[in-house]
Structure formats: structure tokens, C-alpha cells
Amino acid sequence: SHSYSRRLQHWALLSVSLLNCLLSTACSVGLALAVALTVHSRGTHLVRGCNSSALPADARAAIATNDCPFNTTRIYDTALALWFPSLLLAAAEAVLSGRCCLVALVFQGIGPCAHSYGPEQV
């Protein structure tokens, strides 16, 4: 029963780490796409919901107007300042989850690395 419980824990570790790796990778890709589109469009996508003709084409020079539901003065810099660290953290999480997944595979005896570890090392 102790061996069964341990194998069940290893499969749970494998499942959760694989799911987290996939979600973190998707999050990283989404954030990278958001950063790329924002930089490419110079932030115009960020103020697209505003119907004011007073807004300039470059969001970095945008001014606060009553026609926009939010303050546009710092949206470009703030978005990028929040997205870059989030992107780095999501990528690090994906890498660490992938490593955790590999460890779970070694615990199960699956894969090329599994046979190089003895039972006392596992």
C-alpha cells in the first residue's frame, strides 16, 4: 500500500507539473504576443476603446480626455512595465514545471534518464 501511495503521488506530480508547464507556456506566448503587438503599434491598440479624435496616433503621447474610460497618459509605459516581468516569471515557471515533470518521469522509471538512477538515488 505504501508503494501504491507513492506511485499515485508520482502520477499526481506528473499530471500537475505537465498541466502547469502547458499553462505557463501559453501564458508566456500570450504575453510575448501582447508585448510585440503593443510595441509594433506604438500602443494604439491600448487606446482603441477611446472614441476621441483628440487622441494622437502614438499612445505614448496620449492625453487624458473625458471621452476615454481610463487615463491614457501612462498606459503604454505601465503596460510594458507590468508585462515584461510577468513574461519573465511565466517563462521561468514553465521551465521549472518542465523540470518537475522530468523528475516525475524519472520517479516513474520512464524515459532515457530514468534508468541511470538507482533506487537509492530516486
Side-chain angles (χ1 to χ4, degrees), residues 13-31 85-103:
L13 174 65
L14 177 63
S15 303
V16 171
S17 62
L18 183 61
L19 178 65
N20 192 53
C21 184
L22 292 173
L23 289 173
S24 297
T25 302
C27 191
S28 297
V29 169
L31 281 167
S86 296
L87 175 61
L88 293 175
L89 289 172
E93 184 179 4
V95 169
L96 292 174
S97 295
R99 290 180 56 99
C100 190
C101 187
L102 290 176
V103 167

Side-chain angles (χ1 to χ4, degrees), residues 6-86:
R6 186 170 294 239
R7 289 191 65 80
L8 187 62
Q9 289 174 353
H10 294 166
W11 281 111
L13 174 65
L14 177 63
S15 303
V16 171
S17 62
L18 183 61
L19 178 65
N20 192 53
C21 184
L22 292 173
L23 289 173
S24 297
T25 302
C27 191
S28 297
V29 169
L31 281 167
L33 183 62
V35 168
L37 289 174
T38 299
V39 170
H40 181 267
S41 71
R42 299 178 61 100
T44 56
H45 294 299
L46 297 174
V47 292
R48 184 165 285 165
C50 302
N51 295 326
S52 174
S53 60
L55 289 173
D58 189 347
R60 290 180 292 176
I63 56 170
T65 67
N66 290 333
D67 296 333
C68 197
F70 53 87
N71 185 348
T72 60
T73 54
R74 305 280 298 160
I75 185 113
Y76 182 81
D77 296 331
T78 303
L80 293 180
L82 292 173
W83 287 345
F84 275 121
S86 296

